[in-house]
Amino acid sequence: MTDAGRVVLATGDDPLVLEHGGHLDHVEVAYETWGELAPARDNVVFVCHALTGDAHAGGEGGWWANLVGPGRPLDTDRFHVVCANLLGGCRGTTGPSSPDPATGRPWGLDFPLLTVRDLVAVHRRLLTHLGVERLHAAIGGSLGGMQVLQWAVDDPAAIDRAVLVAASSRLSAQGIAFSAVARDAIMRDPDFQGGRYVGSGRRPDHGLAVARRMAHITYVSEGSLEAKFGRDRIADGPPTHATDFQVEAYLDHQAEVFLARFDALSYLYLTRVMDYFDPFSDAGAAARAGSGGTDFLVVSFDTDWRFPTAQSRRIHDHLAAAGARSRHVEIASPWGHDSFLLEPPGYHDVVRQHLVRHPG
Amino acid sequence: MTDAGRVVLATGDDPLVLEHGGHLDHVEVAYETWGELAPARDNVVFVCHALTGDAHAGGEGGWWANLVGPGRPLDTDRFHVVCANLLGGCRGTTGPSSPDPATGRPWGLDFPLLTVRDLVAVHRRLLTHLGVERLHAAIGGSLGGMQVLQWAVDDPAAIDRAVLVAASSRLSAQGIAFSAVARDAIMRDPDFQGGRYVGSGRRPDHGLAVARRMAHITYVSEGSLEAKFGRDRIADGPPTHATDFQVEAYLDHQAEVFLARFDALSYLYLTRVMDYFDPFSDAGAAARAGSGGTDFLVVSFDTDWRFPTAQSRRIHDHLAAAGARSRHVEIASPWGHDSFLLEPPGYHDVVRQHLVRHPG
């Protein structure tokens, strides 16, 4: 059973109060579910999506369709899988391009800056709306894994099993630097218009395309780009300023597909959420995350240079040192950070096994 | 003795014929020299500069002042050191922002695409102009090392000792990909105006700044960024879209300094030169490079991920397999690709020793 819906989870009477002050009087959330909810409501697996994902994790064209489905690790014959578009996103959930209820115009840069805690607060409201108190599991890759970690810190009793894939508890200086270049490319695009582009007929597509092209390079390993494209050209001939190497055409294609489905303001807001994420700067966070008995699995990939294994190990080390149940598994994969969307040997098995482990 | 000059090295009567066809009827070259030319004209060390360098390698503010000077590895008490701004550049030598003699207007994208062979052809003309037939040594880092390699291929008898630092005989797919993003950021900046920006009062500064910020990340190691900046912020306070982390302010500063001294068209042309460089695709190239008895030293740095050690090793392997005299030395350095401009332990010593080795 697949279901898709949109639900209002904050109103003027029940606003979403944000971590850094301010509040949102209207939050609408797009979500999808797969599999039957058990009568005891104890078989829910919540999927937290990454920076540019959306609620459509499973089913035809789902970004995690290899993981979500009948007989898959997130087995929809057994689990009720839920995925919601993030707060700040642009795929059905309220974000900076949504209308500001106070003015009726798109928020733009007047939308408040968010934190991972704010994103998780919306997930928690969604669970309440669905009548679910406790998750069989929460799972996410990259920014999705950050949400799972924050969720365990904020509501330790809510999650039986947590799976953090290719995640980080804090970006490195290099990670912040890549983010800064991407955000700069967007904000300095004249079509960005100070964030007031929605409805103007002009979007900062050039800036967003530059951001995506650059980010995509960091999502894949040097070796996988080399194996796939090397120095192959589209056609023989003298040098040209135009797209000529196949890897250039590949980046062009990635940017084109991305522009059709994503919004520059959401990109700004959600990358900034990642820049500031640093839960273990609160000395009590790891102990809180473990205090509900959550069983953590932290997965990393050996060729991931955007969120390298050392960053996953740091999550595990903090949790374990605070007495939480945690395992870290590094998977060998040629594909870099994007491995969390693919099926390198061993990855799906370790997730599958973790989701059926007995708690306690 | 320091000298600086500008000289016309191609004219309508003696045009520079380019590798991919076409020719330049006017090539002016800016160069500098340090140290006395010996009466036998046998003490010349030619410095080939990298992508955004210029002729001012030595002396006050010189980009290689730690390497060039009295008692330094490029000892100006002993050697006559020469450095010239590259063809296609913007620091005194003819490039795409120079006037097209046929129209009197700046060339823009009508300037012909260049190859490393074309850059070297200008160096060779400069030597002829200076009355020098044979180099005691040629040395260069990054794109500079590419020029040294091509020079040895094109004129094997001209170079006694060659030093290639942090160079590559061909960019990887990842290297071409980073180049593509940078070029895209420049060319899609509306102020680029199809390359006709010179004299318009508007330059594609936003695009060039994005290109430089991104490139700078790739010039330094993850570890050095982390050690220098980590997640330090400029000031405490809530999240902001503005520059907040110190690594962001650092990139802003790098971009600002760069914009004051470099030109977007030169950036496009010289990065494209690097994309296409692949001398060993000619099966006889390595043997030719070694046929004049040139003694090669290939230096790489262990944390350089832009031009990793494997790329230097590939140069050495090709040369050695073809019977050339070649050594490869990997230097431990925390600073990534930029190490070639710095002084990690052992680096200057190995260069110094190579420059005084006896040939044959």
PDB file of all heavy atoms in Angstrom, chain A residues 17 26 41 48 59 85 90 93 119 131 133 139 152 154 180 219 223 228 230 252 264 272 323 337 352 356 359:
ATOM      1  N   VAL A  17       7.781  26.673  16.756  1.00  0.00           N
ATOM      2  CA  VAL A  17       8.786  27.573  17.326  1.00  0.00           C
ATOM      3  C   VAL A  17      10.165  27.056  16.919  1.00  0.00           C
ATOM      4  O   VAL A  17      10.461  25.862  17.074  1.00  0.00           O
ATOM      5  CB  VAL A  17       8.653  27.646  18.861  1.00  0.00           C
ATOM      6  CG1 VAL A  17       9.749  28.546  19.446  1.00  0.00           C
ATOM      7  CG2 VAL A  17       7.272  28.185  19.230  1.00  0.00           C
ATOM      8  N   HIS A  26       2.504  28.624   9.643  1.00  0.00           N
ATOM      9  CA  HIS A  26       1.895  27.700   8.689  1.00  0.00           C
ATOM     10  C   HIS A  26       2.981  26.790   8.143  1.00  0.00           C
ATOM     11  O   HIS A  26       3.900  27.262   7.453  1.00  0.00           O
ATOM     12  CB  HIS A  26       1.208  28.458   7.546  1.00  0.00           C
ATOM     13  CG  HIS A  26       0.546  27.531   6.561  1.00  0.00           C
ATOM     14  ND1 HIS A  26      -0.709  26.995   6.766  1.00  0.00           N
ATOM     15  CD2 HIS A  26       0.967  27.034   5.384  1.00  0.00           C
ATOM     16  CE1 HIS A  26      -1.027  26.208   5.746  1.00  0.00           C
ATOM     17  NE2 HIS A  26      -0.027  26.214   4.894  1.00  0.00           N
ATOM     18  N   ARG A  41       0.813  -0.135  15.717  1.00  0.00           N
ATOM     19  CA  ARG A  41       1.569   1.060  15.267  1.00  0.00           C
ATOM     20  C   ARG A  41       3.050   0.992  15.665  1.00  0.00           C
ATOM     21  O   ARG A  41       3.670   2.012  15.998  1.00  0.00           O
ATOM     22  CB  ARG A  41       0.928   2.338  15.860  1.00  0.00           C
ATOM     23  CG  ARG A  41      -0.502   2.550  15.400  1.00  0.00           C
ATOM     24  CD  ARG A  41      -1.204   3.713  16.077  1.00  0.00           C
ATOM     25  NE  ARG A  41      -2.599   3.779  15.620  1.00  0.00           N
ATOM     26  CZ  ARG A  41      -3.024   4.510  14.589  1.00  0.00           C
ATOM     27  NH1 ARG A  41      -2.170   5.221  13.900  1.00  0.00           N
ATOM     28  NH2 ARG A  41      -4.294   4.493  14.233  1.00  0.00           N
ATOM     29  N   CYS A  48      14.674   9.698   6.482  1.00  0.00           N
ATOM     30  CA  CYS A  48      15.034  11.114   6.421  1.00  0.00           C
ATOM     31  C   CYS A  48      15.854  11.347   5.151  1.00  0.00           C
ATOM     32  O   CYS A  48      16.864  10.679   4.937  1.00  0.00           O
ATOM     33  CB  CYS A  48      15.869  11.500   7.640  1.00  0.00           C
ATOM     34  SG  CYS A  48      14.987  11.322   9.198  1.00  0.00           S
ATOM     35  N   GLY A  59       8.958   3.166  -4.405  1.00  0.00           N
ATOM     36  CA  GLY A  59       8.072   3.066  -5.557  1.00  0.00           C
ATOM     37  C   GLY A  59       8.745   3.509  -6.839  1.00  0.00           C
ATOM     38  O   GLY A  59       9.937   3.835  -6.867  1.00  0.00           O
ATOM     39  N   ASN A  85       9.013  15.300   2.886  1.00  0.00           N
ATOM     40  CA  ASN A  85       9.876  16.367   2.375  1.00  0.00           C
ATOM     41  C   ASN A  85      10.255  17.288   3.534  1.00  0.00           C
ATOM     42  O   ASN A  85       9.439  17.599   4.407  1.00  0.00           O
ATOM     43  CB  ASN A  85       9.130  17.145   1.286  1.00  0.00           C
ATOM     44  CG  ASN A  85       9.993  18.186   0.575  1.00  0.00           C
ATOM     45  OD1 ASN A  85       9.515  19.245   0.211  1.00  0.00           O
ATOM     46  ND2 ASN A  85      11.274  17.900   0.385  1.00  0.00           N
ATOM     47  N   CYS A  90      11.446  22.194  -1.186  1.00  0.00           N
ATOM     48  CA  CYS A  90      10.676  22.770  -2.302  1.00  0.00           C
ATOM     49  C   CYS A  90       9.884  21.694  -3.020  1.00  0.00           C
ATOM     50  O   CYS A  90       9.520  21.849  -4.175  1.00  0.00           O
ATOM     51  CB  CYS A  90      11.623  23.449  -3.282  1.00  0.00           C
ATOM     52  SG  CYS A  90      12.909  22.349  -3.902  1.00  0.00           S
ATOM     53  N   THR A  93       6.741  20.612   0.850  1.00  0.00           N
ATOM     54  CA  THR A  93       6.771  21.089   2.238  1.00  0.00           C
ATOM     55  C   THR A  93       7.133  22.582   2.250  1.00  0.00           C
ATOM     56  O   THR A  93       7.853  23.055   1.361  1.00  0.00           O
ATOM     57  CB  THR A  93       7.781  20.254   3.056  1.00  0.00           C
ATOM     58  OG1 THR A  93       7.281  18.924   3.177  1.00  0.00           O
ATOM     59  CG2 THR A  93       7.996  20.837   4.455  1.00  0.00           C
ATOM     60  N   LEU A 119      14.069  20.787  11.529  1.00  0.00           N
ATOM     61  CA  LEU A 119      13.602  19.798  10.549  1.00  0.00           C
ATOM     62  C   LEU A 119      12.997  18.601  11.274  1.00  0.00           C
ATOM     63  O   LEU A 119      11.938  18.075  10.899  1.00  0.00           O
ATOM     64  CB  LEU A 119      14.751  19.306   9.650  1.00  0.00           C
ATOM     65  CG  LEU A 119      15.673  20.339   8.988  1.00  0.00           C
ATOM     66  CD1 LEU A 119      16.604  19.638   8.003  1.00  0.00           C
ATOM     67  CD2 LEU A 119      14.894  21.423   8.282  1.00  0.00           C
ATOM     68  N   GLY A 131      -0.389   9.276  14.519  1.00  0.00           N
ATOM     69  CA  GLY A 131      -0.737   8.456  15.679  1.00  0.00           C
ATOM     70  C   GLY A 131       0.338   7.460  16.063  1.00  0.00           C
ATOM     71  O   GLY A 131       0.066   6.420  16.668  1.00  0.00           O
ATOM     72  N   GLU A 133       3.864   6.723  18.158  1.00  0.00           N
ATOM     73  CA  GLU A 133       4.656   7.243  19.280  1.00  0.00           C
ATOM     74  C   GLU A 133       6.120   6.875  19.191  1.00  0.00           C
ATOM     75  O   GLU A 133       6.985   7.588  19.691  1.00  0.00           O
ATOM     76  CB  GLU A 133       4.089   6.708  20.601  1.00  0.00           C
ATOM     77  CG  GLU A 133       2.832   7.440  21.021  1.00  0.00           C
ATOM     78  CD  GLU A 133       2.388   7.049  22.421  1.00  0.00           C
ATOM     79  OE1 GLU A 133       3.106   6.264  23.080  1.00  0.00           O
ATOM     80  OE2 GLU A 133       1.311   7.519  22.827  1.00  0.00           O
ATOM     81  N   ILE A 139      16.074   6.117   9.582  1.00  0.00           N
ATOM     82  CA  ILE A 139      17.242   5.907   8.721  1.00  0.00           C
ATOM     83  C   ILE A 139      17.402   7.093   7.788  1.00  0.00           C
ATOM     84  O   ILE A 139      16.410   7.678   7.336  1.00  0.00           O
ATOM     85  CB  ILE A 139      17.107   4.589   7.906  1.00  0.00           C
ATOM     86  CG1 ILE A 139      18.324   4.364   6.999  1.00  0.00           C
ATOM     87  CG2 ILE A 139      15.802   4.557   7.110  1.00  0.00           C
ATOM     88  CD1 ILE A 139      18.353   2.984   6.337  1.00  0.00           C
ATOM     89  N   ALA A 152      17.472  11.472  17.741  1.00  0.00           N
ATOM     90  CA  ALA A 152      17.794  10.656  18.918  1.00  0.00           C
ATOM     91  C   ALA A 152      18.190  11.534  20.104  1.00  0.00           C
ATOM     92  O   ALA A 152      17.881  11.216  21.261  1.00  0.00           O
ATOM     93  CB  ALA A 152      18.914   9.673  18.578  1.00  0.00           C
ATOM     94  N   ASP A 154      17.061  14.621  20.606  1.00  0.00           N
ATOM     95  CA  ASP A 154      15.904  15.417  21.034  1.00  0.00           C
ATOM     96  C   ASP A 154      14.790  14.573  21.637  1.00  0.00           C
ATOM     97  O   ASP A 154      13.984  15.086  22.424  1.00  0.00           O
ATOM     98  CB  ASP A 154      15.334  16.206  19.841  1.00  0.00           C
ATOM     99  CG  ASP A 154      16.286  17.292  19.371  1.00  0.00           C
ATOM    100  OD1 ASP A 154      17.278  17.545  20.095  1.00  0.00           O
ATOM    101  OD2 ASP A 154      16.042  17.870  18.295  1.00  0.00           O
ATOM    102  N   ALA A 180      30.090  27.213   0.863  1.00  0.00           N
ATOM    103  CA  ALA A 180      30.185  28.668   0.682  1.00  0.00           C
ATOM    104  C   ALA A 180      30.261  29.037  -0.798  1.00  0.00           C
ATOM    105  O   ALA A 180      29.640  30.004  -1.241  1.00  0.00           O
ATOM    106  CB  ALA A 180      31.406  29.204   1.429  1.00  0.00           C
ATOM    107  N   TYR A 219      30.364  14.463  -4.790  1.00  0.00           N
ATOM    108  CA  TYR A 219      29.532  13.314  -4.406  1.00  0.00           C
ATOM    109  C   TYR A 219      30.067  12.004  -4.969  1.00  0.00           C
ATOM    110  O   TYR A 219      29.613  10.931  -4.573  1.00  0.00           O
ATOM    111  CB  TYR A 219      28.091  13.495  -4.892  1.00  0.00           C
ATOM    112  CG  TYR A 219      27.361  14.646  -4.244  1.00  0.00           C
ATOM    113  CD1 TYR A 219      26.283  15.260  -4.878  1.00  0.00           C
ATOM    114  CD2 TYR A 219      27.743  15.134  -2.992  1.00  0.00           C
ATOM    115  CE1 TYR A 219      25.615  16.319  -4.283  1.00  0.00           C
ATOM    116  CE2 TYR A 219      27.083  16.194  -2.402  1.00  0.00           C
ATOM    117  CZ  TYR A 219      26.012  16.783  -3.047  1.00  0.00           C
ATOM    118  OH  TYR A 219      25.351  17.827  -2.475  1.00  0.00           O
ATOM    119  N   GLY A 223      38.031   8.056  -8.617  1.00  0.00           N
ATOM    120  CA  GLY A 223      38.163   6.818  -9.376  1.00  0.00           C
ATOM    121  C   GLY A 223      36.941   6.484 -10.202  1.00  0.00           C
ATOM    122  O   GLY A 223      37.045   5.970 -11.320  1.00  0.00           O
ATOM    123  N   LYS A 228      34.471   5.944 -15.460  1.00  0.00           N
ATOM    124  CA  LYS A 228      33.293   6.170 -16.305  1.00  0.00           C
ATOM    125  C   LYS A 228      33.629   7.019 -17.534  1.00  0.00           C
ATOM    126  O   LYS A 228      33.118   6.776 -18.625  1.00  0.00           O
ATOM    127  CB  LYS A 228      32.231   6.890 -15.462  1.00  0.00           C
ATOM    128  CG  LYS A 228      30.808   6.713 -15.929  1.00  0.00           C
ATOM    129  CD  LYS A 228      29.838   7.148 -14.812  1.00  0.00           C
ATOM    130  CE  LYS A 228      28.390   7.107 -15.268  1.00  0.00           C
ATOM    131  NZ  LYS A 228      27.476   7.571 -14.209  1.00  0.00           N
ATOM    132  N   GLY A 230      37.065   9.041 -17.895  1.00  0.00           N
ATOM    133  CA  GLY A 230      38.463   9.306 -18.231  1.00  0.00           C
ATOM    134  C   GLY A 230      38.570  10.628 -18.963  1.00  0.00           C
ATOM    135  O   GLY A 230      37.980  11.630 -18.546  1.00  0.00           O
ATOM    136  N   ASP A 252      26.806  18.754 -17.293  1.00  0.00           N
ATOM    137  CA  ASP A 252      25.724  19.549 -17.889  1.00  0.00           C
ATOM    138  C   ASP A 252      24.382  18.850 -17.664  1.00  0.00           C
ATOM    139  O   ASP A 252      23.398  19.485 -17.293  1.00  0.00           O
ATOM    140  CB  ASP A 252      25.937  19.707 -19.401  1.00  0.00           C
ATOM    141  CG  ASP A 252      27.089  20.644 -19.740  1.00  0.00           C
ATOM    142  OD1 ASP A 252      27.607  21.328 -18.825  1.00  0.00           O
ATOM    143  OD2 ASP A 252      27.476  20.687 -20.919  1.00  0.00           O
ATOM    144  N   ALA A 264      16.499  27.272  -5.792  1.00  0.00           N
ATOM    145  CA  ALA A 264      17.744  27.864  -5.281  1.00  0.00           C
ATOM    146  C   ALA A 264      17.632  28.276  -3.812  1.00  0.00           C
ATOM    147  O   ALA A 264      18.581  28.101  -3.044  1.00  0.00           O
ATOM    148  CB  ALA A 264      18.141  29.062  -6.143  1.00  0.00           C
ATOM    149  N   ARG A 272      22.871  25.597   4.468  1.00  0.00           N
ATOM    150  CA  ARG A 272      23.264  26.345   5.665  1.00  0.00           C
ATOM    151  C   ARG A 272      22.934  25.553   6.932  1.00  0.00           C
ATOM    152  O   ARG A 272      23.662  25.629   7.941  1.00  0.00           O
ATOM    153  CB  ARG A 272      22.569  27.705   5.670  1.00  0.00           C
ATOM    154  CG  ARG A 272      23.331  28.807   6.399  1.00  0.00           C
ATOM    155  CD  ARG A 272      24.747  28.949   5.943  1.00  0.00           C
ATOM    156  NE  ARG A 272      25.414  30.181   6.401  1.00  0.00           N
ATOM    157  CZ  ARG A 272      26.723  30.350   6.422  1.00  0.00           C
ATOM    158  NH1 ARG A 272      27.530  29.379   6.012  1.00  0.00           N
ATOM    159  NH2 ARG A 272      27.252  31.477   6.836  1.00  0.00           N
ATOM    160  N   GLY A 323      28.126   5.651  26.265  1.00  0.00           N
ATOM    161  CA  GLY A 323      27.394   4.472  26.713  1.00  0.00           C
ATOM    162  C   GLY A 323      26.246   4.050  25.798  1.00  0.00           C
ATOM    163  O   GLY A 323      25.486   3.140  26.129  1.00  0.00           O
ATOM    164  N   HIS A 337      30.579   9.403  -2.032  1.00  0.00           N
ATOM    165  CA  HIS A 337      29.440   9.761  -1.181  1.00  0.00           C
ATOM    166  C   HIS A 337      28.114   9.214  -1.735  1.00  0.00           C
ATOM    167  O   HIS A 337      27.242   8.784  -0.974  1.00  0.00           O
ATOM    168  CB  HIS A 337      29.381  11.283  -1.061  1.00  0.00           C
ATOM    169  CG  HIS A 337      28.386  11.785  -0.062  1.00  0.00           C
ATOM    170  ND1 HIS A 337      28.442  11.461   1.274  1.00  0.00           N
ATOM    171  CD2 HIS A 337      27.296  12.583  -0.196  1.00  0.00           C
ATOM    172  CE1 HIS A 337      27.434  12.045   1.920  1.00  0.00           C
ATOM    173  NE2 HIS A 337      26.732  12.730   1.047  1.00  0.00           N
ATOM    174  N   ARG A 352      19.727  -4.233   6.420  1.00  0.00           N
ATOM    175  CA  ARG A 352      18.648  -5.214   6.603  1.00  0.00           C
ATOM    176  C   ARG A 352      18.745  -5.890   7.970  1.00  0.00           C
ATOM    177  O   ARG A 352      17.752  -5.984   8.705  1.00  0.00           O
ATOM    178  CB  ARG A 352      18.744  -6.270   5.487  1.00  0.00           C
ATOM    179  CG  ARG A 352      17.675  -7.339   5.523  1.00  0.00           C
ATOM    180  CD  ARG A 352      18.022  -8.502   4.562  1.00  0.00           C
ATOM    181  NE  ARG A 352      18.125  -8.069   3.157  1.00  0.00           N
ATOM    182  CZ  ARG A 352      17.094  -8.041   2.316  1.00  0.00           C
ATOM    183  NH1 ARG A 352      15.880  -8.401   2.723  1.00  0.00           N
ATOM    184  NH2 ARG A 352      17.279  -7.679   1.071  1.00  0.00           N
ATOM    185  N   VAL A 356      16.189  -5.688  11.800  1.00  0.00           N
ATOM    186  CA  VAL A 356      15.475  -6.813  12.435  1.00  0.00           C
ATOM    187  C   VAL A 356      16.163  -7.265  13.722  1.00  0.00           C
ATOM    188  O   VAL A 356      15.769  -8.280  14.319  1.00  0.00           O
ATOM    189  CB  VAL A 356      15.321  -8.017  11.465  1.00  0.00           C
ATOM    190  CG1 VAL A 356      14.462  -7.604  10.273  1.00  0.00           C
ATOM    191  CG2 VAL A 356      16.680  -8.530  10.999  1.00  0.00           C
ATOM    192  N   PRO A 359      15.818  -5.219  20.031  1.00  0.00           N
ATOM    193  CA  PRO A 359      16.305  -4.144  20.885  1.00  0.00           C
ATOM    194  C   PRO A 359      16.697  -4.668  22.258  1.00  0.00           C
ATOM    195  O   PRO A 359      16.386  -5.794  22.617  1.00  0.00           O
ATOM    196  CB  PRO A 359      15.126  -3.185  20.979  1.00  0.00           C
ATOM    197  CG  PRO A 359      13.912  -4.029  20.750  1.00  0.00           C
ATOM    198  CD  PRO A 359      14.333  -5.156  19.852  1.00  0.00           C
TER     199      PRO A 359
END
